[in-house]
C-alpha cells in the first residue's frame, strides 16, 4: 500500500533484463577500436589499464559506440549488457542488478540499499532509492564491472558496479559538436533531441568543457475514458478531466561544466559541476487487456507526473608523491523528486473488501469519495571523500589503497490524500492526508581498503585485497494514520514529540551499526600476449538497516561470495572472452509488503547463482560482428517462510504463536532476471564516393522471468514472457558531419518488462482463495517502435 516506487507505474518494473558479458565491450568500446581491444583504456581497478589486461568481467561502451547503439539513457545501455537487469517504475527510478542477484525487493524509500553501485567519474551517485537517470551524451565510456567489487568500491557494489566516465577537458585546441534528432514512436507522437559541447583551452595548462542537452520523449500510452462506482457509498467517479492520448511523455534537459587545471607536470585539478531536470507525465504501464482496455491503454483517475532534478559537484586532485600516484576526490550531490500518483485502485478494492468507504466522511458527517492519490517529495543529499595512493604500475609488486567516507540522507515525505476528509480522520498538520510518511533516513559509510599484486613470474600474477568497513544507519520520523482512524498505529503509536519537521509526532527512531571485513583473491596467468586466464574468489556486502515498522528489529548485512574462472583472448580479428562462475548469496535482505502494505525486510534467504557469460567478436576491414550471451541459474537454497526461523522450517509458528506459511520452496528461481539473454550486433562500413557509409543491425533476446519470488504472488501477477527486439540503422558521414536514419524495436514488440497490481494482496485474493475481489493488473511494456533521423556537425 505505502510503496511509492511501486505506485509510480503500478508495481516495480523490471527493465530489459541482462548481465554483463565478461569483457563483451572490448569491440563495442569505440568505433575505431581494433578487434583485439589494445586501445581501450578503463579504470575498473582505479588505475588506467587496457581492458583486455584486466582480469575481471568488464564491459566498456565508448563514445562512438554509445551513439551507434542509439543509447540516450541508462536503460538503453542495458540492452547490450547480457548479464545486467534494470528494474524501474518510471524514468528516474531505476534499480540495477548483476547476474541474477535480485530477490524482487520493494525498492522504496525505507528499504534496502541497492546491490549495484553507480559512479559518475569518481563519485558514487546511487541514491537510496536508485541510480540517477543521466542522459548519455559526451561520455568517454560506460564501464560495467560484474561480480562483487566491494574491496575497491564498497557497500553498494555487492553484485557489481556501473561507471559513467565523462570526456575530460582538453588543452590541445578549441573544438566541439552540435547534434539534433527527430523521432516518432509507434502509436504515439514525435520526439527529439538537441545536444552539443564545446572544448576550449584556457591557456597552456587549463581547459574547460561545456556540455548541454535537451530531449523530448513522446508518449505512447493512452488514458481512455472510464468510471467506477464505490460499493459502500454508491459515489460515481470518472476520469474525464484526465483523458488524453499519448500522455506519458517526458522532457529531460541538463548541462555539465568541467575544468582541467594542470598546476605543473605532476599535479592536476579537475572540478566539475553537472545538473539535470527530468519531467514526466502519465503512467508507463498498460492495463492488462480487458473489455475496457487494450494494448497501450489505461484508465487513471488522478494526475500522474514526476519531476526529478539533481545537481552534482565534484573535485578530483591527482598528483605524485615521489613515483607514487595520489588521488584525492570528493563531491556533493543534491537531488529532489516530486511525484504525483493515482491511488484510486487501492481505494476502490479496499472499499469492496472491507467497506472502508463507510468510515470516510467530511466535517458535516457526509460520506465522501474514497478516491485517493499521492503527492510525494523526496530530498536526497550525498557527500563523499576518498583518498588513495597507487605504486608504479610497471613494478613487480603493485599496491593501491586508501580510505573512504560517505554520508547520504533521504528526507521522505509521502502524502496519501483523500479530499474533504474530516479533521479527526486526517493526519494532524496536513491538508487532507489519510496517511502520512514523514521520515529522515541517514546512511553512513567508513572504510579502509587496499589491493596488492605480485608478479610471481612474468606470466603469473597473484592479487589479494580487502576492505575494512563500518556502517551506521538510522531512520527517524512518523508514518501512519491519525488517532481517529487507528488506535494502534500512526499517531496512536507515537512515543514522543516531532523530531522531523512536518510530522505530527514521532513513532519511529532507530539506529543500527556494524563493522566487518571482505576480501578478494585473484590469480592471473598470461598464456601469451593475446590471451590470459584468471580465477577469482571475491566477496561483496550490503549494509543492514532499519525496518520502519517499529515493532520489527533492524535487518543485518547480506553478503555475496563469487567463485569465477574467466578468459580473455584475441586471435587476429577474432575476440573470444568468457567467464564461468558460482555466486553464493547469504542472509538475503528479503523484502515484501506486510500489514498495512508496509515493506518488511528480514535476513531470511540463501541463494546460489551458477552462470556463464560468453562474448564473441570479429572485425575485418569495414565489417564487424559482436555476439554476447549469459545464462544464469539463480535459485534460493532454503525454504522462504512467512515467519523466519533459524531452521528454515515453515511449519514452526512465530514467537507470538502466529501461523507460519511456506512462501517459496527451495529451488525456486530468483525473480527479475531471465535464465537466458543474448544480443547480436553486426555493422558494415563502406565508402560512398568521398564519403563514408554504414549499415547496422542489432538483435536482442530476453527470456521469460518470474515476476515475484513467492509462489502465490507470482501466480497472481504472472510470469513475464520472453521477447525479442531488432534495431537497424543506416547512415553516411563526411569529414566533420554525420547523418543517420534508424529504427529501434523495428517489429514493434510489446514485450512486458513488469507486471503488478496496486491493491493489497488480501484485497486481490489471499493464498487460501477465501477472498477475491479482483484487481487491476498493470503490465509495463518496452517502448514501441521508434523511427528517427539524427544529424551532427563537428567544429
Amino acid at each position: 500500500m505505502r510503496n511509492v516506487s511501486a505506485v509510480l507505474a503500478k508495481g516495480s518494473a523490471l527493465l530489459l533484463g541482462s548481465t554483463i558479458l565478461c569483457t563483451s565491450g572490448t569491440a563495442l568500446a569505440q568505433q575505431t577500436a581494433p578487434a583485439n581491444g589494445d586501445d581501450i583504456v578503463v579504470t575498473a581497478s582505479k588505475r588506467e589499464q587496457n581492458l583486455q589486461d584486466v582480469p575481471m568481467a568488464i564491459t566498456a561502451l565508448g563514445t562512438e559506440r554509445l551513439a551507434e547503439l542509439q543509447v540516450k539513457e541508462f536503460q538503453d545501455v542495458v540492452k547490450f549488457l547480457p548479464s545486467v537487469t534494470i528494474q524501474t517504475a518510471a524514468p528516474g527510478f531505476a534499480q540495477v542488478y548483476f547476474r541474477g542477484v535480485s530477490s524482487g525487493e520493494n525498492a522504496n524509500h525505507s528499504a534496502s540499499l541497492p546491490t549495484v553501485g553507480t559512479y559518475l567519474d569518481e563519485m558514487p551517485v546511487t541514491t537510496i532509492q536508485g541510480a540517477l537517470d543521466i542522459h548519455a551524451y559526451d561520455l568517454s565510456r560506460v564501464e560495467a564491472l560484474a561480480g562483487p567489487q566491494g574491496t575497491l568500491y564498497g557497500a553498494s557494489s555487492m553484485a557489481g558496479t556501473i561507471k559513467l566516465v565523462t570526456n575530460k577537458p582538453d588543452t590541445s585546441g578549441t573544438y566541439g559538436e552540435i547534434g539534433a534528432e527527430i523521432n516518432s514512436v509507434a502509436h504515439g507522437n514525435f520526439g527529439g533531441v538537441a545536444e552539443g559541447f564545446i572544448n576550449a583551452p584556457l591557456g597552456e595548462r587549463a581547459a574547460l568543457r561545456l556540455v548541454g542537452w535537451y530531449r523530448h520523449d513522446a508518449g505512447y500510452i493512452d488514458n481512455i475514458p472510464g468510471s467506477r462506482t464505490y460499493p459502500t457509498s454508491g459515489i460515481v467517479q470518472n476520469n474525464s478531466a484526465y483523458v488524453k492520448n499519448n500522455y506519458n511523455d517526458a522532457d529531460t534537459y541538463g548541462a555539465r561544466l568541467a575544468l582541467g587545471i594542470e598546476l605543473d607536470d605532476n599535479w592536476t585539478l579537475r572540478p566539475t559541476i553537472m545538473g539535470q531536470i527530468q519531467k514526466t507525465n502519465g503512467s508507463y504501464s498498460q492495463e492488462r487487456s480487458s473489455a475496457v482496455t487494450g494494448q497501450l491503454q489505461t484508465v487513471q483517475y488522478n494526475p500522474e507526473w514526476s519531476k526529478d532534478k539533481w545537481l552534482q559537484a565534484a573535485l578530483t586532485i591527482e598528483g605524485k608523491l615521489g613515483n607514487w600516484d595520489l588521488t584525492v576526490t570528493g563531491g556533493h550531490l543534491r537531488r529532489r523528486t516530486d511525484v504525483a500518483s493515482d491511488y484510486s485502485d487501492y481505494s476502490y478494492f479496499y472499499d469492496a473488501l472491507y467497506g472502508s468507504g463507510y468510515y470516510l466522511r467530511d466535517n458535516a458527517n457526509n460520506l465522501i469519495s474514497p478516491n485517493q492519490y499521492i503527492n510525494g517529495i523526496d530530498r536526497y543529499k550525498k557527500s563523499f571523500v576518498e583518498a588513495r595512493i597507487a605504486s608504479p604500475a610497471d613494478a613487480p609488486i603493485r599496491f593501491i589503497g586508501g580510505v573512504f567516507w560517505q554520508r547520504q540522507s533521504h528526507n521522505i515525505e509521502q502524502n496519501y490524500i483523500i479530499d474533504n476528509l474530516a479533521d479527526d480522520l486526517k493526519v494532524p498538520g496536513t491538508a487532507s492526508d489519510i496517511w502520512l510518511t514523514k521520515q529522515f533516513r541517514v546512511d553512513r559509510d567508513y572504510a579502509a581498503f587496499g589491493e596488492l599484486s605480485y608478479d610471481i613470474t612474468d606470466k603469473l600474477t597473484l592479487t589479494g585485497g580487502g576492505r575494512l568497513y563500518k556502517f551506521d544507519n538510522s531512520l527517524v520520523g512518523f508514518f501512519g494514520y491519525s488517532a481517529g482512524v487507528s488506535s494502534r498505529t500512526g499517531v496512536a503509536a507515537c512515543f514522543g514529540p516531532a523530531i522531523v519537521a512536518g510530522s505530527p509526532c514521532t513513532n519511529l527512531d532507530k539506529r543500527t551499526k556494524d563493522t566487518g571485513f571482505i576480501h578478494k583473491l585473484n590469480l592471473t596467468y598470461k598464456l601469451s600476449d593475446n590471451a590470459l586466464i584468471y580465477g577469482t574468489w571475491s566477496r561483496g556486502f550490503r549494509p543492514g538497516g532499519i525496518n520502519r515498522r517499529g515493532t520489527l528489529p533492524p535487518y543485518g548485512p547480506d553478503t555475496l561470495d563469487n567463485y569465477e574462472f574467466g578468459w580473455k583472448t584475441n586471435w587476429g580479428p577474432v575476440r573470444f572472452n568468457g567467464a564461468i562462475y558460482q555466486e553464493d548469496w547469504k542472509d538475503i535482505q528479503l523484502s515484501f509488503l506486510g500489514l498495512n502494505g508496509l515493506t518488511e525486510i528480514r535476513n531470511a534467504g540463501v541463494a546460489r547463482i551458477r552462470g556463464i557469460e560468453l562474448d564473441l567478436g570479429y572485425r575485418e576491414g569495414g565489417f564487424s560482428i559482436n555476439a554476447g550471451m549469459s545464462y544464469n541459474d539463480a535459485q534460493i537454497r532454503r525454504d522462504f517462510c512467512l515467519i523466519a526461523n533459524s531452521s528454515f522450517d515453515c511449519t514452526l509458528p512465530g514467537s507470538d504463536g502466529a501461523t507460519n506459511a511456506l512462501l517459496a520452496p527451495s529451488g525456486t528461481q530468483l525473480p527479475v532476471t531471465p535464465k537466458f539473454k543474448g544480443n547480436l550486433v553486426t555493422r558494415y562500413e563502406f565508402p560512398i564516393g568521398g564519403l563514408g557509409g554504414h549499415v547496422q543491425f542489432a538483435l536482442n533476446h530476453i527470456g521469460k522471468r518470474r515476476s515475484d519470488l513467492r509462489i502465490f504472488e507470482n501466480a497472481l501477477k504472472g510470469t513475464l514472457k520472453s521477447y525479442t527486439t531488432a534495431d537497424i540503422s543506416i547512415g553516411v558521414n563526411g569529414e566533420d558531419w554525420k547523418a543517420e536514419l534508424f529504427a529501434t524495436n523495428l517489429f514493434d514488440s510489446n514485450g512486458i518488462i513488469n507486471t503488478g497490481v496496486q491493491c493489497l494482496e488480501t484485497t486481490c485474493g489471499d493464498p487460501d482463495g477465501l477472498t477475491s475481489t479482483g484487481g487491476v493488473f498493470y503490465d509495463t511494456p518496452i517502448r514501441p517502435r521508434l523511427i528517427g533521423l539524427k544529424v551532427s556537425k563537428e567544429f
Side-chain angles (χ1 to χ4, degrees):
M1 166 181 172
R2 308 303 174 190
N3 184 340
V4 173
S5 294
V7 170
L8 287 173
K10 311 303 181 291
S12 39
L14 322 173
L15 212 80
L16 296 176
S18 61
T19 308
I20 297 271
L21 276 189
C22 179
T23 70
S24 66
T26 304
L28 299 180
Q30 56 187 15
Q31 181 181 9
T32 58
N36 60 16
D38 288 342
D39 294 336
I40 310 304
V41 176
V42 296
T43 54
S45 299
K46 297 209 171 184
R47 65 165 85 223
E48 292 188 349
Q49 291 178 277
N50 290 327
L51 188 145
Q52 284 293 91
D53 294 332
V54 182
M56 72 169 68
I58 172 175
T59 299
L61 303 177
T63 304
E64 290 292 331
R65 200 56 174 154
L66 290 168
E68 292 169 2
L69 296 173
Q70 317 307 330
V71 171
K72 298 180 179 67
E73 55 188 339
F74 209 60
Q75 57 186 318
D76 294 334
V77 180
V78 173
K79 286 175 62 176
F80 302 96
L81 306 177
S83 292
V84 178
T85 300
I86 187 170
Q87 180 179 9
T88 183
F93 299 87
Q95 298 287 331
V96 183
Y97 306 100
F98 275 80
R99 291 180 172 175
V101 182
S102 168
S103 61
E105 51 269 275
N106 296 293
N108 75 351
H109 46 73
S110 300
S112 303
L113 287 166
T115 62
V116 173
T118 306
Y119 277 69
L120 178 58
D121 292 322
E122 294 283 347
M123 181 174 179
V125 293
T126 304
T127 57
I128 292 169
Q129 204 166 329
L132 299 181
D133 194 2
I134 300 173
H135 178 71
Y137 179 68
D138 196 46
L139 296 179
S140 172
R141 62 190 176 276
V142 176
E143 298 179 18
L145 288 58
Q149 305 297 323
T151 53
L152 290 182
Y153 291 96
S156 284
S157 290
M158 181 178 78
T161 301
I162 303 284
K163 296 186 66 175
L164 309 176
V165 183
T166 62
N167 283 313
K168 302 300 186 289
D170 176 13
T171 59
S172 66
T174 299
Y175 59 90
E177 179 186 74
I178 55 173
E181 175 186 316
I182 185 171
N183 57 58
S184 174
V185 63
H187 322 287
N189 281 334
F190 287 91
V193 180
E195 53 196 9
F197 77 88
I198 183 170
N199 182 94
L202 301 174
E204 293 183 357
R205 288 189 174 271
L208 66 79
R209 195 176 188 97
L210 179 63
V211 187
W213 59 89
Y214 169 78
R215 186 178 86 237
H216 175 72
D217 296 315
Y220 48 86
I221 302 286
D222 297 337
N223 191 20
I224 66 173
S227 66
R228 58 170 39 134
T229 302
Y230 287 95
T232 298
S233 63
I235 292 174
V236 178
Q237 179 184 23
N238 69 69
N239 69 341
S240 59
Y242 309 108
V243 170
K244 184 180 179 181
N245 290 337
N246 313 317
Y247 87 134
N248 64 320
D249 58 343
D251 291 280
T252 305
Y253 50 95
R256 182 178 82 247
L257 176 63
L259 293 175
I261 305 170
E262 298 174 2
L263 300 179
D264 55 29
D265 292 339
N266 292 326
W267 291 89
T268 301
L269 303 180
R270 299 190 186 280
T272 63
I273 186 168
M274 183 175 182
Q276 180 177 281
I277 296 175
Q278 186 174 65
K279 300 177 181 179
T280 70
N281 295 300
S283 166
Y284 283 75
S285 298
Q286 63 190 21
E287 291 189 18
R288 193 165 293 177
S289 295
S290 66
V292 177
T293 59
Q295 185 171 300
L296 302 179
Q297 291 183 337
T298 189
V299 181
Q300 299 300 293
Y301 293 87
N302 292 289
E304 294 190 303
W305 54 265
S306 70
K307 183 178 181 180
D308 181 6
K309 58 181 181 180
W310 54 267
L311 183 68
Q312 180 246 13
L315 172 65
T316 298
I317 304 172
E318 297 174 326
K320 290 282 190 180
L321 295 177
N323 61 350
W324 286 54
D325 295 319
L326 172 67
T327 303
V328 179
T329 183
H332 183 71
L333 170 70
R334 293 200 173 199
R335 182 186 187 191
R336 172 173 169 152
T337 59
D338 295 75
V339 175
S341 304
D342 184 2
Y343 210 44
S344 61
D345 283 2
Y346 173 85
S347 303
Y348 176 81
F349 290 104
Y350 206 76
D351 186 25
L353 184 62
Y354 298 115
S356 59
Y358 176 80
Y359 303 97
L360 300 175
R361 51 184 175 79
D362 60 18
N363 285 326
N365 209 35
N366 298 313
L367 290 178
I368 60 175
S369 172
N371 174 54
Q372 190 173 165
Y373 57 95
I374 303 170
N375 288 337
I377 304 173
D378 292 271
R379 302 174 181 88
Y380 308 85
K381 294 181 182 179
K382 178 191 281 280
S383 299
F384 97 106
V385 176
E386 180 179 287
R388 64 180 186 268
I389 58 173
S391 64
D394 56 356
I397 299 178
R398 298 173 297 281
F399 174 78
I400 183 169
V403 293
F404 176 88
W405 169 85
Q406 176 179 265
R407 183 184 189 274
Q408 52 184 335
S409 65
H410 186 178
N411 191 327
I412 306 157
E413 180 179 334
Q414 307 292 331
N415 301 278
Y416 292 74
I417 302 169
I418 297 178
D419 290 331
N420 304 314
L421 199 61
D423 291 342
D424 64 323
L425 299 180
K426 68 184 181 183
V427 177
T430 67
S432 198
D433 283 19
I434 185 71
W435 175 286
L436 171 68
T437 299
K438 193 70 178 78
Q439 300 171 337
F440 189 69
R441 172 175 176 169
V442 180
D443 292 68
R444 310 163 187 87
D445 296 282
Y446 314 85
F449 62 90
E451 284 192 0
L452 184 67
S453 297
Y454 171 57
D455 293 335
I456 301 172
T457 71
D458 59 352
K459 293 183 178 295
L460 184 64
T461 300
L462 176 65
T463 298
R467 190 179 188 96
L468 179 65
Y469 67 85
K470 175 183 177 180
F471 67 82
D472 182 357
N473 301 335
S474 60
L475 184 64
V476 60
F478 172 85
F479 66 98
Y481 299 105
S482 73
V485 174
S486 174
S487 61
R488 296 180 295 108
T489 62
V491 172
C494 282
F495 49 75
I499 296 176
V500 178
S503 63
C505 50
T506 299
N507 57 19
L508 176 64
D509 187 358
K510 286 194 173 184
R511 192 165 183 169
T512 184
K513 60 180 70 175
D514 196 7
T515 59
F517 178 81
I518 58 172
H519 67 272
K520 174 184 176 182
L521 288 174
N522 175 274
L523 190 64
T524 302
Y525 185 74
K526 295 203 71 171
L527 300 170
S528 68
D529 290 340
N530 297 317
L532 64 81
I533 57 175
Y534 68 87
T536 297
W537 174 29
S538 57
R539 174 173 291 178
F541 79 102
R542 179 169 50 166
I546 303 299
N547 270 294
R548 62 170 168 156
R549 185 184 297 281
T551 57
L552 297 177
Y555 52 92
D558 51 359
T559 60
L560 186 74
D561 282 289
N562 177 54
Y563 309 92
E564 180 173 333
F565 170 76
W567 62 94
K568 296 187 175 184
T569 64
N570 290 297
W571 308 104
V574 178
R575 181 193 70 256
F576 179 51
N577 301 322
I580 301 171
Y581 50 86
Q582 175 173 310
E583 297 186 330
D584 294 330
W585 191 5
K586 299 177 182 177
D587 297 320
I588 300 174
Q589 295 175 10
L590 286 170
S591 61
F592 60 95
L593 296 182
L595 187 65
N596 299 121
L598 290 178
T599 296
E600 298 182 4
I601 305 170
R602 61 172 180 259
N603 301 97
V606 176
R608 184 194 66 201
I609 301 101
R610 288 177 174 169
I612 182 171
E613 303 165 349
L614 298 176
D615 164 52
L616 180 65
Y618 173 83
R619 187 181 185 100
E620 188 70 31
F623 178 74
S624 65
I625 183 169
N626 294 277
M629 62 78 66
S630 69
Y631 180 86
N632 285 285
D633 184 15
Q635 302 179 8
I636 59 170
R637 305 304 296 166
R638 303 282 180 85
D639 289 347
F640 176 32
C641 306
L642 177 64
I643 302 173
N645 56 74
S646 58
S647 61
F648 295 89
D649 185 351
C650 298
T651 65
L652 297 177
S655 58
D656 58 355
T659 302
N660 209 339
L662 175 65
L663 300 183
S666 175
T668 302
Q669 291 289 318
L670 294 177
V672 178
T673 300
K675 278 192 173 183
F676 177 82
K677 186 184 180 213
N679 65 67
L680 175 72
V681 181
T682 62
R683 184 178 178 89
Y684 181 56
E685 300 174 356
F686 51 89
I688 307 176
L691 305 176
H694 72 264
V695 176
Q696 180 173 287
F697 180 77
L699 197 66
N700 293 273
H701 176 79
I702 293 88
K704 67 179 182 179
R705 295 131 288 146
R706 294 181 64 88
S707 59
D708 200 289
L709 175 64
R710 298 161 295 174
I711 300 299
F712 171 72
E713 284 74 13
N714 189 71
L716 187 71
K717 295 188 291 185
T719 297
L720 306 178
K721 297 180 179 179
S722 62
Y723 65 91
T724 302
T725 62
D727 305 339
I728 191 169
S729 61
I730 182 170
V732 63
N733 60 276
E735 184 177 348
D736 58 359
W737 61 271
K738 299 176 184 177
E740 185 175 49
L741 179 67
F742 68 91
T744 59
N745 193 8
L746 179 63
F747 301 110
D748 200 22
S749 168
N750 190 244
I752 303 301
I753 56 177
N754 179 62
T755 189
V757 61
Q758 188 181 105
C759 56
L760 283 172
E761 293 150 11
T762 51
T763 308
C764 305
D766 67 21
D768 299 321
L770 299 179
T771 60
S772 181
T773 61
V776 180
F777 286 83
Y778 294 88
D779 298 329
T780 306
I782 61 174
R783 189 185 301 275
R785 177 178 56 245
L786 184 78
I787 298 176
L789 174 66
K790 62 181 182 181
V791 295
S792 63
K793 177 73 168 63
E794 299 174 356
F795 60 86

